[in-house]
Amino acid sequence: MFSEIYASSARNFASLHMFPVFETVHYIMTAISIREDKGSIAFAKKHPLASAVAFALCCCGGSLAVNALLGLPLATPFLKGKCLPLITVVWYLVFHSPGDACYKLIQWQPVYVILTVLKELRRAHNVRLGMKIAQEMYEDRWIVHIVAGMLKASGAKWAKTIERLIRGSPTAREHELIKPSSVFKASLLVSIIYTMREQQVIIVAQDHLMLAAGMFFVLLRISIVVFHMPDPFTYVERPVKRVLFGRSTGHHEEGQKEELDEHLTGDEDDDDDGSEDESTKKTR
């Protein structure tokens, strides 16, 4: 009975269309992530055009990153007729709605959790979509497939560095290569598992794997965003890092303090939750 229900759910999930519902949710959560960066609201009011352009880059970050990797036209994501008007409307409502009504509604925890779930389900689709595009151009280059899947699913995080550079934010140096987020790590892991299936290392139906990936993304983000749990990947990273690279000879105590801080704060400021202020937390 359970296997039949799961198989049916997997087929329905794999056949879902991302536009307009899931794409709109992605735009909303991207706007929330940008808005919760320090100085973003003042910048949006003082430089609305620059703010809107930076937001559009983040919304299309996954497609831009994959196109750049594969040598495809970068303008393609912006040529979809309904995307740019929808991006503009979402940007205006999140940053400039009267009385901040839209922002407050989104930050209400039940709404925020629902939006987070929908966004993470979209991420599972994006991993597969990025890999599919790469496979059409580089059929046997599985490393390219993995990178494309990871970039498509976590592209907004990479594009956020450009958005911060446009704003002149000092946090622009905290990009994914220096401070990888849980979203980046999870997207990379799922891309590897998808590739293992393509290489027949593991035997599982594609629809079943996509649904399992969606559930994994949802549980990971809910545990971090709602329950403020630390990034679970750090429990593997730290011992592996010590074995492969050892401890730094200098600043030993400082390194221990940083590790303790990372353990306590986890990955709460990664991806779609930004760095929250006290008023935001109270709203939720």
Side-chain angles (χ1 to χ4, degrees), residues 230 238 242 253-266:
R238 287 170 186 161
R242 287 169 187 158
E253 294 182 0
E254 183 178 331
Q256 284 185 325
K257 183 177 182 299
E258 288 179 358
E259 286 188 358
L260 178 60
D261 290 342
E262 288 179 6
H263 177 74
L264 293 175
T265 58

Side-chain angles (χ1 to χ4, degrees), residues 23-36 40 43-44 47-62 64 77-78 83-96 106 119 155-167 272:
E23 288 299 318
T24 302
V25 169
H26 166 61
Y27 301 155
I28 292 172
M29 298 304 285
T30 301
I32 294 298
S33 174
I34 294 173
R35 174 174 167 139
E36 290 176 350
S40 62
F43 183 83
H47 306 286
L49 179 60
S51 174
V53 170
F55 173 61
L57 290 174
C58 286
C59 288
C60 300
L64 290 172
F78 302 105
C83 287
L84 280 179
L86 184 57
I87 288 172
T88 304
V89 169
V90 170
W91 169 81
Y92 183 82
L93 291 177
V94 172
F95 284 91
H96 303 285
I106 295 166
K119 180 174 173 65
K157 285 294 294 181
W158 297 86
K160 196 171 180 180
T161 301
I162 300 176
E163 186 272 335
R164 286 169 170 169
L165 286 172
I166 292 174
R167 287 193 289 112
D272 302 316

Side-chain angles (χ1 to χ4, degrees), residues 15 26 40-41 48 61 70 87 91 100 102 118 170 174 177 194 199 220 234 240 245 248 250 258 267 277-278 280:
S15 62
H26 166 61
S40 62
I41 301 175
L70 302 177
I87 288 172
W91 169 81
D100 251 357
C102 289
L118 294 176
E174 296 179 359
L177 292 178
Y194 276 6
Q199 299 297 320
L220 178 65
T234 57
V240 171
F245 306 108
S248 58
E258 288 179 358
D267 195 32
D277 55 21
E278 291 299 321
T280 299

Side-chain angles (χ1 to χ4, degrees), residues 2-15 207-208 211:
F2 174 77
S3 60
E4 293 177 0
I5 295 174
Y6 185 86
S8 176
S9 301
R11 285 193 299 270
N12 293 333
F13 177 66
S15 62
D207 295 351
H208 294 191
L211 180 57

